[in-house]
Amino acid sequence: MSGILVLAEHRRGEARPGSLEAIGAAEALKADLGPLAILIIAAEPQKYVEPFAVGAVDEIITVANPAAKEFEPHVYEAVLSRVIEERKPSLILLPHSIDSWGLAPGLAIALDAGFATDVFGIRREAGEIVATRAGYQEKVWVELDFPQKQQVILTLRSGAFRAPTELASPKITALEVEGVKPRSSHLEWRDPPPSGGIDIPGSKFILSIGRGIGDEANIEQFAELAESLGATLGCSRPIADNGWLPKARQVGQSGQLAAKCSLYIAMGISGAVQHQWGMKHVETIVAVNKDPEASIFGIAAYGIVGDMLEIADELRKQVAAAHAEAG
Amino acid sequence: MKIIVPVKRVASLDDEFEMREDGRDVEPDFCEFDLNEFDEYSIEAAVQIKEANPDAGVEVIALTIGPEDADEVLRKALAKGADRAIRIWQDALEGSDQIAIARIIAKVVEREQPSLVLCGAQSSDHAHAETGMAVAGLVHWPHAAVITHLDYRPGAQSALVERELEGGLVERLELETPAVVTIQLGINKPRYASLRSIKQANAKPLDVLTAEELGLSEAEIGVPGSLSRVRRMFPPDRRRSEMIEGTPAQQAARLLEIIKETLH
């Protein structure tokens, strides 16, 4: 067993960034583990060769299959298993993406490989791979190893590794994998509903509310508070799931990325990793949370342990007083 | 026709906690336990299929792996509409990772032959997002992960499902059944159990079995059946926020200053 294999993810004709980050993660391990190959499974895999010919990539393996125009977990698993059996890489890296949630566990079972998900640190210790991930809602870190496993599959946390930008000239190998059958069929894509002018990605200042708000009746006062502060109102997933605010206001992996935000005030948001993803470009985060151990305090520049409703109340009073004075 | 809903008793940590002596987990005294939030939605999805098809004889089976304490999450599932429950435990299951847990669920699936297995997309404590799809891999069933819509009629050869992807993009697809799917938050509105249904839950059957009784060998369970091992667990030494102390009024005043400083 030697070498590293990275799965190239793509969707609707575009290469996915998570696989590029996996290439970045593989770079530091190559000296120990051997060459880095990228596997592209697609109806027309050559379309994706160029975007993945970057960084430390030594080889791009393409497998053409008409059923893999878009991700299909059963086709992917069968092709990956076959390619891995043939190439025998010691490490297989996938992004911790929604697609690989549906793919990686079955692959680990099929290969009887060591397996860990949502990994943000990889190192070698005495010849063994050690992976680091978080546990208990990000409150602890967990180091995992894989006793007696010849191969290890890791899915990597988005944003944890740097995607390379320099171009590479890898060898291209086309493999054929026969007899692979899909068990689901793609019917359609549905884009998220129009944002109705709500611009989380473009906002410099976001006031975001989470589960700590408790009740739908409290939403309105935060909408007013955001407006009086000149902030865009954002929210975490449970608020959008409840239908209390439109999906266009949801910050996080299944919502919006706050791409241009200088200041993000997170009120009553504990800081689940999917939400943190949406804040990864924010310059300054202020967190207001009742739980002094909430993981959001691990990424916020400033923290207030307290009741978001009380703090909001004070903010409103003081903003009104300042206006009265200025007026 | 049966639907199996595997559920997990998840832990959340107290404000202060200590690590276990071996450094591989947190002392359970510092944990609070509850039903995994994602599983509330998978239970509800199963019960909705049952209620929408009253003549189809749908039986919803809640399943968990754990010692006696885990009965509380099964009772909760029963109070929310599951018909019966199964708990699997023996001491050798201590130290199981998600895959070793999935091996047990897979055995129950083989034994009960349900039409659907509905799992939570992940657990709210460790968020591995592994167990459900590992079950699918073990029984070689069709599968789909992170479902926000499920349209299935008992007896049908396929289900219509929607997967929610990054950025809120939705993929609609047709999936062969029997199948294993994992359920995302927000797919439905989980019901609250009424006092009456909580009472009724106590009368519903709850079977306790060992992994051995399911036909699993020692090599398949616990540590030998796992694909990973926890070496060490520890509170990270990470940068902490600068804490703003004082009364709410003082904290709000400082926050307004920060807003001014940052934006101007």
Side-chain angles (χ1 to χ4, degrees), chain B residues 118-149:
Chain B
L118 305 184
C119 303
Q122 59 179 336
S123 62
S124 50
D125 52 0
H126 291 298
H128 290 286
E130 292 178 16
T131 313
M133 290 296 107
V135 171
L138 287 160
V139 297
H140 305 287
W141 278 16
H143 52 88
V146 196
I147 295 306
T148 49
H149 179 84

Side-chain angles (χ1 to χ4, degrees), chain A residues 6-321:
Chain A
V6 168
L7 175 68
E9 282 196 352
H10 57 87
R11 180 177 298 151
R12 298 170 102 180
E14 304 271 351
R16 304 279 304 154
S19 296
L20 297 174
E21 291 175 11
I23 293 170
E27 198 164 331
L29 300 161
K30 261 183 66 173
D32 274 342
L33 297 179
L36 168 60
I38 308 301
L39 172 61
I40 305 173
I41 307 167
E44 298 170 67
Q46 59 285 357
K47 276 206 302 209
Y48 303 102
V49 165
E50 196 189 320
F52 288 110
V54 291
V57 176
D58 299 298
E59 181 184 11
I60 291 183
I61 302 167
T62 62
V63 175
N65 187 311
K69 180 169 184 293
E70 299 294 350
F71 171 79
E72 205 287 334
H74 313 85
V75 170
Y76 267 56
E77 187 193 315
V79 172
L80 265 159
S81 297
R82 236 49 98 67
V83 171
I84 291 166
E85 268 164 35
E86 198 178 306
R87 294 303 188 98
K88 301 185 171 46
S90 50
L91 180 65
I92 298 116
L93 300 177
L94 293 81
H96 190 60
S97 62
I98 301 295
D99 282 355
S100 70
W101 287 30
L103 168 68
L107 185 66
I109 296 284
L111 299 170
D112 193 29
F115 182 40
T117 58
D118 200 16
V119 168
F120 52 76
I122 314 170
R123 64 170 202 276
R124 292 248 299 166
E125 213 175 287
E128 303 288 328
I129 288 171
V130 177
T132 309
R133 73 190 306 282
Y136 293 114
Q137 292 154 334
E138 309 286 308
K139 289 182 182 177
V140 299
W141 286 10
V142 187
E143 284 181 0
L144 296 159
D145 60 11
F146 312 95
Q148 284 143 38
K149 295 297 173 196
Q150 303 291 308
Q151 296 178 306
V152 174
I153 301 173
L154 303 177
T155 73
L156 307 182
R157 173 170 289 190
S158 168
F161 299 94
R162 198 188 59 87
T165 49
E166 62 283 8
L167 301 180
S169 313
K171 176 171 94 173
I172 316 283
T173 312
L175 289 185
E176 282 192 23
V177 178
E178 306 264 303
V180 171
K181 278 205 340 227
R183 301 176 85 175
S184 62
S185 47
H186 171 90
L187 299 176
E188 61 167 349
W189 295 115
R190 206 167 62 238
D191 287 296
S195 65
I198 300 161
D199 185 15
I200 294 287
S203 291
K204 282 194 67 172
F205 179 19
I206 296 169
L207 173 73
S208 206
I209 55 177
R211 225 189 264 273
I213 194 161
D215 199 298
E216 185 174 11
N218 296 325
I219 295 279
E220 187 52 36
Q221 56 173 298
F222 282 87
E224 287 166 15
L225 178 63
E227 197 180 339
S228 72
L229 293 171
T232 303
L233 184 66
C235 68
S236 65
R237 176 170 189 121
I239 304 297
D241 274 350
N242 284 343
W244 295 355
L245 284 173
K247 191 92 180 160
R249 294 202 184 273
Q250 183 190 322
V251 178
Q253 216 154 6
S254 55
Q256 304 291 320
L257 176 67
K260 293 187 177 158
C261 184
S262 318
L263 179 61
Y264 190 99
I265 303 178
M267 301 185 91
I269 293 174
S270 62
V273 55
Q274 288 84 1
H275 190 80
Q276 289 191 18
W277 180 90
M279 296 188 284
K280 63 185 176 181
H281 298 312
V282 176
E283 284 166 30
T284 306
I285 297 168
V286 184
V288 180
N289 204 292
K290 269 187 190 166
D291 174 7
E293 293 299 318
S295 61
I296 188 112
F297 291 124
I299 60 161
Y302 301 97
I304 294 175
V305 177
D307 182 338
M308 65 183 283
L309 294 166
E310 257 177 58
I311 299 293
D313 212 37
E314 282 299 333
L315 285 172
R316 184 167 40 252
K317 277 189 217 159
Q318 295 180 23
V319 170

